[in-house]
Amino acid sequence: MSLVLTPAERRALRRATTLLDLDRGRLARSVLAGSLSLASAVGLSAVAAWLIARASQMPDVAALGVAPVAVRLFGVSRPVLRYCERLASHDTALRGMTALRTRLYTALAASRADVVAGLRRGDVLERVGRDVDAVGDLVVRAWLPMWVAGVVGAATSLGVALVHPPAGAVLAACLLLAGVVGPAATVRAARAAELARAEHATELSATVMTVLEGGGELAVNGRLAQAMDGLADLEGRLARARDRAARPAALAAAVDTLAMGLAVLGCLAVGVPAVASGTLDPVMLAVTVLVPLAAFEATSALGLASAQLVTSAGAAVRIVSLVESAEASTAALPAPRPLPPAPDGGPVLVARDLAVGWPGGPVVARGIDLELRPGRRLAVVGPSGVGKTTLLLTLAGLLEPRAGTLTLNGVAPWGAARQEVAAQVTLTAEDAHVFDTTVLENLRVARGDVTASQATALLERAGLGPWLACLPQGLDTPVSSDAATLAGGERRRLLLARALACPAPLMLLDEPGEHLDAGTADRLVADLLRAGAPGTGDDGAPGTGDDGAAGDGRGTLLVTHRLSALGHAEEVLVLGRTGSGPATIVRRGSHADLMSADADYRWTVSQEQSDD
């Protein structure tokens, strides 16, 4: 391994293997079954060679002994053992992938929010998906073929050496040639292909996006043909780099065939004189010559195994980097403090002179004063990029305040236990994930005991009643993980229904009307604000309705860029910048007060209504 992997890859692979938590017993059974399966092929070749050579001497049938039975035994046992090896190895690998994903999710869930939120969109899914699969494939496609090749190669060489030591030495040398030189060339090809892709792929993607997005401007300026020529040149260079990288792989395949031929010729070269001198039986000469044809089946898989080793090592580096970042951020956090019980009226979230921003970045908003409790309805408005989403993440306890104070029931939510804070405050981000499962199970992400009738009520409350009625399987209709089966507005309302299902008494919503037409967005925002008004459900308990959501009487704070639907908000906080510094609250008050006293606010509302 040290010959084909860098020190960083070896370290990452050791750590990732530890996270796989492999069952050594199952792994040993996989190697044993695979070795016996391949040994059956070698045994079949040896017995068949002996049987053919012995039969050519036309002895009595009884002289052939149990050889015909052994042929049947090896012929049948090979596929049976191969099947057992597949069952054991895939079971081991799949259990390991599950353990690795669980530990990765656990590390990320316990880490600071900026560790995950700072990643590019799709990075987390890529690493817990394809990268975890690549590390798991290490068991089936790399380690297992290598171990089987080592065990069978050594056993075959020893067996041939017992028949004729020089032939055993020749076979061992040729197996080493095929098992070392060939995989080394394959590794070189795999690395060269990856370097070529990394060198040109980014530039190629950037050029393609430029042509697609700016084709009109390029055509007007007479530069479209030049851009297309540059794109063709990039594609040509990438193709030539791939061709150059494929040459070592072709060499690796040739080395395996060459080594097998050398083994056959070498066994003949040392065997024929031994037969002539009477030290080797002619029948056994056939065995020593034909056995290598089966023995090299073990080395033929080592090229792909080495390439998989490189691929798995690269995936391990990315996974371990993410895990260690999460662990480092967790270690930097103070020990979580228990959250005090909520007062009789429910939890209270209070911000005083709060400043927010991402760790290591500038303060984006400061001087924030607000108080959210059950039944209270607040709205935060302002232009894009002013810091509204960062404020929500801070209020939810996912980002540490940069200055000022933020308390939940008198304790800073940033330092409290994550689960206890989440039980009091729920946050639905604009880019929250839609899972690759049914509509009902997507709602149960927020609360696992949501019934079908409650789910229907939640979807209707989020404005998805007609959409649900058109689904072929109703609540059991699957939606894809990237929400490809949903329009943007439908996806946003499904996430909103999930937020409504959460039993937390305080709800933070980021742009609930995003991707909806203006009229629908305004109606949805107005419904959300009305739902936050104090009331009781049918069971007489505050904050519980027919849909099982803590809707009536919960505290609601929503971020939106539209002002028209904020008539039901008790207070509207307008974020803005008065200069080049951080944003702050430039105006606040009820919607009616701002409409009557603030000309800018009134003008913005009139513009929205005229656009509608």
Side-chain angles (χ1 to χ4, degrees):
M1 184 183 296
S2 61
L3 296 176
V4 298
L5 300 180
T6 65
E9 288 174 334
R10 292 198 300 273
R11 188 189 71 82
L13 206 53
R14 284 194 296 269
R15 178 71 196 280
T17 303
T18 302
L19 296 174
L20 283 172
D21 193 21
L22 297 176
D23 187 315
R24 296 182 181 274
R26 288 192 178 91
L27 195 57
R29 288 193 291 272
S30 303
V31 175
L32 178 62
S35 300
L36 290 176
S37 175
L38 191 53
S40 295
V42 176
L44 178 61
S45 177
V47 173
W50 183 91
L51 185 61
I52 292 171
R54 186 73 179 90
S56 67
Q57 297 175 346
M58 294 184 291
D60 294 334
V61 174
L64 299 179
V66 297
V69 177
V71 169
R72 294 190 184 95
L73 172 64
F74 289 132
V76 171
S77 63
R78 185 188 180 187
V80 172
L81 289 168
R82 177 66 169 166
Y83 179 73
C84 294
E85 175 263 308
R86 286 301 179 95
L87 282 180
S89 63
H90 283 72
D91 179 62
T92 303
L94 291 173
R95 287 173 183 267
M97 291 179 196
T98 301
L100 178 55
R101 282 195 177 94
T102 300
R103 295 188 177 192
L104 181 56
Y105 274 124
T106 301
L108 293 176
S111 68
R112 292 186 356 175
D114 56 292
V115 172
V116 178
L119 296 170
R120 294 177 301 173
R121 176 176 288 212
D123 264 2
V124 175
L125 293 178
E126 178 73 12
R127 296 188 193 188
V128 301
R130 185 178 301 176
D131 283 348
V132 170
D133 288 344
V135 173
D137 285 342
L138 181 72
V139 176
V140 177
R141 299 182 181 180
W143 283 345
L144 185 61
M146 290 178 179
W147 287 331
V148 168
V151 171
V152 175
T156 304
S157 299
L158 180 61
V160 172
L162 292 176
V163 175
H164 188 52
V170 169
L171 178 58
C174 292
L175 285 173
L176 283 174
L177 174 66
V180 174
V181 177
T186 303
V187 167
R188 181 183 174 188
R191 289 198 182 280
E194 179 62 22
L195 289 174
R197 187 202 64 78
E199 180 181 357
H200 299 296
T202 301
E203 187 179 356
L204 180 64
S205 298
T207 305
V208 169
M209 291 303 298
T210 299
V211 172
L212 290 176
E213 295 178 355
E217 292 85 349
L218 291 172
V220 170
N221 295 330
R223 297 172 55 191
L224 182 59
Q226 179 182 354
M228 295 300 295
D229 291 341
L231 184 60
D233 180 64
L234 277 174
E235 290 177 336
R237 279 189 284 162
L238 184 58
R240 289 191 294 272
R242 287 172 176 168
D243 290 342
R244 287 194 301 270
R247 292 170 189 166
L251 174 63
V255 166
D256 192 70
T257 304
L258 175 64
M260 182 172 61
L262 289 175
V264 172
L265 294 176
C267 289
L268 279 173
V270 299
V272 170
V275 171
S277 64
T279 58
L280 181 65
D281 187 274
V283 173
M284 300 310 294
L285 174 64
V287 173
T288 59
V289 170
L290 294 180
V291 161
L293 297 178
F296 278 85
E297 183 178 341
T299 61
S300 65
L302 291 181
L304 293 177
S306 299
Q308 181 62 50
L309 185 63
V310 174
T311 302
S312 297
V317 168
R318 292 186 290 272
I319 289 176
V320 169
S321 173
L322 184 57
V323 169
E324 291 181 346
S325 297
E327 290 176 343
S329 73
T330 303
L333 291 172
R337 299 186 299 272
L339 196 65
D344 292 339
V348 181
L349 184 66
V350 179
R352 292 289 180 260
D353 198 25
L354 180 66
V356 301
W358 284 89
V363 172
V364 296
R366 59 176 175 79
I368 309 296
D369 291 318
L370 60 84
E371 182 176 313
L372 183 64
R373 61 177 70 244
R376 187 163 171 78
R377 294 150 290 152
L378 303 177
V380 177
V381 299
S384 297
V386 79
K388 300 188 299 295
T389 299
T390 307
L391 173 61
L392 283 188
L393 293 172
T394 305
L395 293 175
L398 299 178
L399 291 179
E400 185 176 11
R402 301 296 295 274
T405 60
L406 175 67
T407 60
L408 177 63
N409 300 342
V411 172
W414 169 254
R418 182 77 57 84
Q419 291 86 349
E420 294 183 16
V421 175
Q424 304 292 328
V425 183
T426 181
L427 166 67
T428 294
E430 183 180 355
D431 58 351
H433 187 59
V434 172
F435 291 87
D436 190 2
T437 183
T438 65
V439 175
L440 178 59
E441 293 303 320
N442 263 286
L443 297 181
R444 285 176 173 169
V445 170
R447 202 180 82 237
D449 61 351
V450 172
T451 65
S453 60
Q454 290 173 347
T456 301
L458 287 166
L459 292 170
E460 290 176 348
R461 188 171 170 190
L464 286 177
W467 172 78
L468 177 63
C470 295
L471 293 181
Q473 301 175 52
L475 292 170
D476 295 325
T477 302
V479 292
S480 65
S481 59
D482 58 357
T485 54
L486 299 170
E490 293 166 347
R491 176 185 181 279
R492 196 70 191 88
R493 281 180 279 185
L494 180 60
L495 294 173
L496 177 59
R498 182 194 296 172
L500 293 172
C502 183
L506 304 180
M507 179 169 63
L508 309 178
L509 299 174
D510 191 4
E511 296 287 2
E514 190 73 9
H515 305 301
L516 303 177
D517 63 86
T520 303
D522 286 350
R523 287 192 297 272
L524 182 60
V525 169
D527 289 343
L528 287 170
L529 293 174
R530 278 196 298 267
T536 58
D538 290 348
D539 57 2
T544 304
D546 292 338
D547 54 14
D552 293 345
R554 81 161 72 193
T556 303
L557 186 152
L558 61 86
V559 160
T560 180
H561 63 277
R562 288 184 60 84
L563 311 180
S564 302
L566 302 182
H568 293 278
E570 291 183 40
E571 188 174 26
V572 179
L573 286 68
V574 182
L575 281 180
R577 291 189 177 93
T578 56
S580 59
T584 188
I585 299 177
V586 294
R587 294 180 296 278
R588 65 189 307 161
S590 68
H591 179 71
D593 291 341
L594 291 173
M595 283 289 290
S596 62
D598 192 309
D600 291 337
Y601 189 93
R602 187 166 55 250
W603 180 85
T604 303
V605 173
S606 66
Q607 290 297 111
E608 291 178 357
Q609 293 173 345
S610 64
D611 290 341
D612 297 345

